[in-house]
Every structure is written in structure tokens, then in C-alpha cells.
Amino acid sequence: MSYLSKVRQANPLVHNITNIVVANFTANGLLALGASPFMADAIEEVADVAAMSGAVVLNIGTLNEAAIASMIEAGKAANRHHVPLVLDPVGAGATAYRTDVTAKLLSELQLTALRGNVAEVANVAGESWASKGVDAGAGEGDVVALAIKAAQKLNCVVIITGKEDIITDGKRTYIASNGHAILTRVTGTGCLLSAVVGAFLAVSGGEVLEAAAEALSFYGVAAELAAEAAEAQGPGSFQIGFLNQLSLVTPEQYSSRSRLKLLEA
Ligand code: ATP
Ligand code: TZP
Ligand code: MG
Ligand code: MG
């Protein structure tokens, strides 16, 4: 059975500590997919929520000290209870504060997966790459090698997104090439993707790399179908059409459109 079908069957609870820009879009996207979102960031409850969840997704998009303390508390509970833990290091490298906070999270927590754009992942891994706010800037380098290095350093699956997405555990690497450029015109499509990865990891049964790769490929297929729909005249209608496709794409449609490639070792 595909991981997509497993998500829809299991309806996993996904605990999100996320930013104020994308919280609603993320919750709606998870619901459309067939997962069950729980947005909870009060320090008093995050450990309980993490322990009862199928995955915990941390996102540093709009940071403050209270959120950081809650992320550490939730992440530690996830680690204790063997709940998959995903980090989206939004804007890491853009400011020293974000870079430092990400380093602190990584020193206290064991991630299952890290998902970011190339600049974010490079900065998390101690490499340099230009960033422009929360977006990746122009840079040069071997992005696949960077992802593999980051995965080995952090001992987790690393996902670098862009026109093509790289998913690696440091030993095996997938390239997912579905998707559509209009995703870049809607805020939160990266943040929602990180939460969708969480939903797929919740049903991965330990096959983290494979589940993450399918999440990336599925997300790209849903975007293509939404962009092709007649009503998708611009980013506004695309955003709604994309939510629709997250719920409508069938496992068969997914299989026939997916362009997911395992790189030769
Ligand atoms: P950024 O802030 O740099 O845009 P992000 O966190 O929004 O980063 P993205 O890299 O934009 O994350 O990835 C979000 C989704 O958009 C992924 O599914 C990715 O494959 C897709 N995507 C990004 N850029 C393109 C593109 N040029 N063409 C097709 N799909 C893209
Ligand atoms: N500013 C702070 S967080 C955020 C913005 C615009 C959302 C970023 O979302 P994404 O998914 O990285 O585009
Ligand atoms: Mg984007
Ligand atoms: Mg992002």
C-alpha cells in the first residue's frame, strides 16, 4: 500500500509548532491530505501533545523565545516517545538569530528529517549559501553533495527543495522532479510541505527515506494537477485548487504521474 493511502487510512495526528503566516494554511493542507492537524505551542502542553502525536513538526518562521522553549520541550518529548520529528529551519542563515536558534535545536534534539530550501540547509550544515529573507538566494555548488553531507552530519533524512527536490539519508538519494513554479508564488507551500512530510513519516513504519520521498513526489503531483485546472488563473485560485488536489489525487494518479528517481550510488 502507498504511504499516501496509509495516511488517509490512519488519519495521523500531526503536532505543529509553526509560524503565524502559515498556521491556517498548514492545518487546512493536512486536513485535505487526510491527516489530523494539532497546532499547539503553549509550554504547559507541548510535551503531552507531542507524546500523543504521530509526528511533530517544528517551524522557526516567526520566532520568539517562548516558541523556542516550546519547540525544545516538544522535540524532547518526541525523541523520548520515538515520534518522528521534522524541522523546517525557515530563514536559517538570513539572520544570526535564526542560525543560532537552529544550532541550539539541533544540539538538543535528534531530528528524523530536516526540510528546507538550499540556503537554509546549507547554513544548518555549516556551509555558506546566500539567502534572501525566507527564500534561497542565488548560489553555486553541488546541491546533492550538500544534502548528503548534511544528512550524514545530522544523522537524519535531509530534504532540499527547489525546482527539483533532493531527499537523502546520506547513503541513498532520491530526486523528485514533479512540481510547478507557481508554488513559489504562494506563501507557506514550503511550510505545509514540511508538515506533509510529518504526516507521511507518521505512517512510515520506520521506512523514513521512502515515505519522505513519496511525500515530496505526491506534493509535486498535486501542484501540477492544481496548476493545470482551468480555474487556476493565478496564485489565489491555485492555493485553493492545490488544497483540493491534496485531497483528490488518487494513489493511481500519483503513480502514473510521479517522477521519482533513485540516484545510482
Ligand atoms: P523558498 O522560501 O526558497 O521558496 P520554501 O520553504 O518555500 O523555500 P520551496 O523550495 O519553495 O520551499 O519548496 C516548496 C515546494 O515548491 C516544493 O514542493 C518544491 O518542489 C516546489 N518548488 C519550488 N520551486 C519550484 C520551481 N521553480 N518549480 C517547481 N516547483 C518548485
Ligand atoms: N515570513 C516568515 S515565515 C514566512 C514568511 C513569509 C512563511 C514562509 O513560508 P515558506 O513555506 O517558506 O514559503
Ligand atoms: Mg517556496
Ligand atoms: Mg520555507
Side-chain angles (χ1 to χ4, degrees), residues 100-138:
D100 293 350
V101 167
T102 308
K104 180 165 173 56
L105 292 173
L106 292 174
S107 73
E108 304 241 10
L109 307 174
Q110 175 58 55
L111 300 183
T112 312
L114 174 79
R115 199 297 307 169
N117 64 41
V118 58
E120 291 160 349
V121 173
N123 281 286
V124 170
E127 309 280 323
S128 64
W129 198 288
S131 49
K132 184 180 173 197
V134 298
D135 295 331

Side-chain angles (χ1 to χ4, degrees), residues 88 115 117 120 134-136 161-163 165 178-181 183-184 189-191 193 216 219-220:
D88 187 330
R115 199 297 307 169
N117 64 41
E120 291 160 349
V134 298
D135 295 331
T161 52
K163 193 168 186 307
D165 306 317
N178 291 95
H180 196 281
L183 280 167
T184 65
T189 54
C191 300
L193 171 59
L216 269 287
Y219 201 79

Side-chain angles (χ1 to χ4, degrees), residues 221-256:
V221 168
E224 286 174 9
L225 290 167
E228 283 168 15
E231 65 269 26
Q233 291 157 347
S237 46
F238 170 77
Q239 186 186 29
I240 300 300
F242 182 54
L243 288 177
N244 290 337
Q245 289 301 330
L246 290 175
S247 77
L248 292 173
V249 174
T250 63
E252 294 70 32
Q253 269 177 312
Y254 164 72
S255 309
S256 69

Side-chain angles (χ1 to χ4, degrees), residues 36-235:
S36 184
F38 196 167
M39 326 313 268
D41 58 11
I43 189 103
E44 292 81 0
E45 67 173 2
V46 286
D48 291 342
V49 177
M52 70 177 79
S53 295
V56 175
V57 182
L58 308 178
N59 178 305
I60 70 163
T62 49
L63 269 183
N64 57 65
E65 289 299 311
I68 297 163
S70 291
M71 285 184 198
I72 291 173
E73 188 82 4
K76 284 186 172 169
N79 284 172
R80 272 197 311 277
H81 293 275
H82 307 289
V83 173
L85 179 64
V86 180
L87 174 66
D88 187 330
V90 182
T95 66
Y97 182 55
R98 284 168 192 260
T99 309
D100 293 350
V101 167
T102 308
K104 180 165 173 56
L105 292 173
L106 292 174
S107 73
E108 304 241 10
L109 307 174
Q110 175 58 55
L111 300 183
T112 312
L114 174 79
R115 199 297 307 169
N117 64 41
V118 58
E120 291 160 349
V121 173
N123 281 286
V124 170
E127 309 280 323
S128 64
W129 198 288
S131 49
K132 184 180 173 197
V134 298
D135 295 331
E140 276 179 26
D142 183 339
V143 183
V144 172
L146 170 67
I148 292 172
K149 202 168 159 186
Q152 289 171 350
K153 186 168 176 184
L154 302 177
N155 191 28
C156 72
V157 164
V158 167
I159 301 158
I160 297 182
T161 52
K163 193 168 186 307
E164 292 199 319
D165 306 317
I166 300 154
I167 308 104
T168 183
D169 62 4
K171 297 188 205 81
R172 290 181 306 137
T173 303
Y174 285 95
I175 305 290
S177 51
N178 291 95
H180 196 281
I182 199 169
L183 280 167
T184 65
R185 312 262 323 271
V186 176
T187 193
T189 54
C191 300
L192 170 57
L193 171 59
S194 298
V196 166
V197 168
F200 276 66
L201 295 194
V203 300
S204 74
E207 292 172 334
V208 175
L209 181 69
E210 284 67 32
E214 188 179 307
L216 269 287
S217 189
F218 160 75
Y219 201 79
V221 168
E224 286 174 9
L225 290 167
E228 283 168 15
E231 65 269 26
Q233 291 157 347

